[in-house]
DNA sequence: CTGTTAGCGCATTCAG
DNA sequence: CTGAATGCGCTAACAG
């Protein structure tokens, strides 16, 4: 059996309470006593039984996810994953809730953050909007001693505890590199469809894409970025226009969430020869990939992200370290040939 | 607070012991009583606190991983991941051990399996060799009521409880598809380097690769498979030969673990124009990818696989269901642009 | 067949 | 500053 608090109490010649005090380093222990206990801990190779500790604390962790509202399928997928995780959350002493706010709206996000602080949550995960008032709100969260993680879109330098999401610069670079290799020597410019430059993930993807494209052996023009606000209608119009006006268009990189509009324009346009790379695997992009309308889908697994955010928030709340390796969110590259089974991703 | 066994005992008008009996459905409860208790459980929406249950049981789960021995870097990586998981295993009441056996050797594997049964383990994870005596051994494991999962290479139809690893047919298909697209119109045959057809993963990858290659718009010859037994020396010799004898070679698909030999032959050969696709991200393949000697690395994350195997084995041992979505091992596609950070994968 | 009781390993009162 | 006692939610003897 591995050593328990009793063993170390016996070995150090003190009581359980004292052991507990040095374990959780709480005040009220003389330095000598503390040293004795620490020696015993080291000697026995004690490791705390987290499950038992949580049981004794009978503490619950109310965590809140703040997500953009609207019909963005990826965000709705994230929300679904939070609810799914909520089913199992009972076992982990975690209470999950979701708040939605208008997309790309810093003020609304700030309101939700302040409400969460007031509500006394144990941790917050939010899709960050790049605005100074948001950074200020995050500072208030820190001051309240509440862990905060950014989700999907980061806000480095804001003081957030952790970022849960892919490396978006690398994602853009990957898109650019695949685009270049798939097109090979074929001539023609490529178009880029984004949502808004007010979220950092879109900006970072663009940056990586441009860098990779310009590093390709054969030079290729990249047309000015089209901003569709992640709205299907606007995206459709922008792409339809582009297809009509640029007859020698060779490829499209869609780095935001306007994919429904893009796909509609593509199937109407009848240009099966384009190389199309998009982000996020949804029912729509999956179907388009299978049909050959899309060549590559770059994806971040919403389920992994939600579970990772929960683990990190809990670890921070308990003052525990996070396992960086386990919490790294990978960029999935899907082509028609390695598409995972179910249409609902998981079951 | 969520309901506890006390609540349901009170509501059903029985004692804790009786509640526990129906919860773990043990004998010794009249049908009527059982029904009353079940009604209370349903009414209160009770969910058992697994942590508390395990604490009370103070049961430990000795799990054994049976891996091929030798200097196969991927297998050594797996072993390292098991040891790493072992550090945290204390907290999860799990005791991990590793047994190594000669590669591609069915009899040795059978010996290790029978030893594990005799040793009274709570679960077994093994890299399967495709041989009838192995299936027979797995049947004995089942009979002993011990959960068994195949790792990396499956043995469907053997009665194993679960397979932890990637879909190898899809992996081969992905390799073929990328090979075709990257080569485009460039002429020349491609070579395939394998370890041995006695493990099913190699066979499946080949199958998928050939299917994808033959589905490409432009036909391309695939040379007869080179079997290097996952040995660096033999692999080196085979590839060096091939490079010398096939001057118009366009690409190489290495679906086994002979990558060190392959890489040596490639850097000696000075043929920077080949499209090279290999499996498993190791220090060697990572360096070769960065240098441009290799174009694509298909990978299965050893850390994920080990953690998944542990979760599944524990769930089976407790008679709990497994979350198929969470346990699906994804095929990672790495190109130079989306290579994750550290050289040691995690930290 | 059913109930009582005593822990599992730890945190937390409340006394001393 | 330190210790003894109680309970978290559940399981497992042991009685009845």
């Amino acid at each position: 059996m591995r050593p328990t608090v009793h063993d170390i109490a016996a070995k150090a010649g003190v009581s359980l309470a004292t052991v507990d005090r040095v374990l959780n380093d709480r005040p009220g222990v003389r330095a000598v006593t503390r040293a004795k206990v620490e020696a015993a801990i080291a000697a026995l190779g004690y490791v705390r039984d987290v499950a038992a500790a949580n049981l004794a604390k009978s503490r619950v962790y109310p965590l809140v996810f703040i997500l953009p509202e609207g019909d963005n399928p990826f965000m709705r997928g994230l929300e679904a994953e939070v609810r799914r995780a909520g089913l199992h959350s009972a076992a982990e002493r975690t209470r999950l809730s979701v708040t939605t706010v208008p997309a790309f709206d810093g003020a609304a996000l700030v309101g939700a953050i302040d409400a969460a602080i007031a509500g006394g949550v144990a941790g917050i995960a939010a899709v960050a909007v790049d605005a100074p008032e948001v950074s200020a709100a995050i500072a208030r969260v820190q001051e309240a001693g509440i862990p905060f993680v950014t989700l999907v879109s980061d806000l480095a330098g804001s003081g957030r505890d952790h970022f849960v999401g892919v490396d978006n610069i690398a994602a853009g670079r990957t898109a650019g590199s695949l685009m270049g290799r798939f097109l090979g020597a074929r001539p023609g410019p490529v178009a880029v469809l984004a949502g808004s430059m007010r979220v950092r993930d879109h900006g970072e993807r663009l940056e990586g894409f441009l860098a990779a494209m310009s590093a390709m052996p054969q030079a290729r023009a990249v047309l000015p970025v089209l901003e569709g606000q992640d709205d299907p209608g606007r995206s459709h119009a922008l792409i339809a226009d582009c297809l009509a006006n640029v007859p020698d268009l060779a490829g499209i990189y869609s780095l935001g969430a306007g994919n429904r509009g893009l796909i509609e324009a593509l199937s109407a346009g009848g240009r099966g020869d384009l190389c199309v790379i998009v982000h996020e695997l949804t029912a729509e992009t999956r179907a388009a990939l299978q049909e050959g309308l899309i060549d590559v889908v770059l994806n971040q697994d919403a389920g992994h992200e939600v579970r990772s955010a929960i683990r990190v928030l809990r670890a921070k709340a308990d003052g525990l370290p996070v396992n960086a390796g386990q919490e790294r969110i990978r960029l999935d590259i899907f082509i028609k040939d390695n598409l995972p089974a179910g249409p609902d991703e998981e079951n």
Side-chain angles (χ1 to χ4, degrees), chain A:
Chain A
M1 262 349 242
R2 54 186 243 257
T4 76
V5 281
H6 290 91
D7 300 318
I8 114 165
K11 179 150 186 116
V14 298
S15 76
L16 290 185
T18 300
V19 173
D20 186 70
R21 288 187 186 99
V22 348
L23 240 33
N24 298 296
D25 68 17
R26 270 185 290 247
V29 186
R30 261 186 318 173
V32 245
T33 318
R34 175 176 299 273
K36 261 195 310 191
V37 175
E38 274 163 353
I41 291 176
L44 295 175
Y46 170 84
V47 280
R48 165 211 254 101
D49 183 329
V50 197
N54 283 333
L55 176 58
K57 281 205 272 262
S58 74
R59 174 177 173 189
V60 295
Y61 299 78
L63 306 181
V64 55
F65 282 75
I66 306 177
L67 307 176
E69 62 191 27
D71 63 353
N72 178 332
F74 176 71
M75 292 303 168
R76 299 290 69 77
L78 260 186
E79 187 171 351
E81 288 296 342
V82 177
R83 303 205 181 292
R84 177 185 317 228
L87 302 179
H88 294 262
S89 68
E92 278 106 50
R93 315 197 109 59
T94 292
R95 201 78 59 199
L96 267 32
S97 60
V98 177
T99 301
T100 58
V101 296
F104 311 130
D105 182 341
L109 177 54
V110 168
I113 291 174
D114 285 328
I117 299 177
V121 301
I124 303 175
V127 178
V129 175
D130 196 350
E133 65 264 34
V134 174
S135 293
I138 294 178
R140 288 193 291 279
V141 175
Q142 300 287 312
E143 228 161 317
I146 301 173
F148 187 101
V149 304
T150 46
L151 195 62
V152 180
S153 189
D154 194 12
L155 203 44
S158 66
R160 87 285 187 281
D161 289 286
H162 184 86
F163 168 55
V164 177
V166 300
D167 176 340
N168 284 301
I169 296 180
R173 221 164 45 216
T174 302
S177 182
L178 289 174
M179 178 74 80
R181 298 219 203 189
F182 280 13
L183 289 178
R186 175 179 161 185
V190 300
V192 175
L193 175 66
S196 160
M197 290 298 132
R198 300 203 54 198
V199 285
R200 229 177 247 190
D201 54 345
H202 290 197
E204 290 173 345
R205 288 172 187 174
L206 179 62
E207 176 187 339
F209 182 76
L210 294 176
M213 288 302 284
S214 68
M216 280 287 137
Q218 47 284 79
R220 184 179 304 280
V222 177
L223 302 176
V225 175
L226 308 170
E227 286 196 49
Q229 304 299 324
D230 286 357
D231 176 76
R234 297 171 79 142
S235 303
H236 184 152
L238 288 167
I239 293 297
D241 248 40
C242 181
L243 289 174
N245 297 330
V246 189
D248 65 334
L249 189 71
I252 300 175
Y253 174 38
S254 165
L255 54 77
N259 290 326
R260 176 144 35 120
L262 166 68
I263 293 168
E264 285 167 1
L266 283 174
S267 46
R271 292 275 303 275
D273 55 331
L274 287 174
C275 175
V276 180
I277 300 181
V278 310
H279 276 266
E280 315 319 354
L281 188 65
T282 63
E284 290 149 3
T285 58
R286 165 188 288 275
L289 186 60
Q290 268 162 337
E291 285 171 38
L293 237 37
I294 287 177
D295 296 273
V296 179
V297 175
L298 301 179
N299 186 63
Q300 47 190 324
D301 190 285
H304 285 181
E305 293 186 322
V306 168
R307 288 188 289 268
S308 177
I310 294 170
R311 275 194 302 268
V312 170
L313 250 16
R314 287 216 32 169
K316 297 286 183 189
D318 286 336
L320 298 172
V322 311
N323 175 336
Q326 182 172 178
E327 306 309 345
R328 171 157 45 225
I329 306 297
R330 322 178 79 90
L331 178 69
D332 296 323
I333 303 177
F334 290 121
I335 59 178
K336 196 193 295 196
D337 308 277
N338 70 331
L339 213 41
D344 8 294
E345 277 290 297
E346 315 212 346
N347 53 12

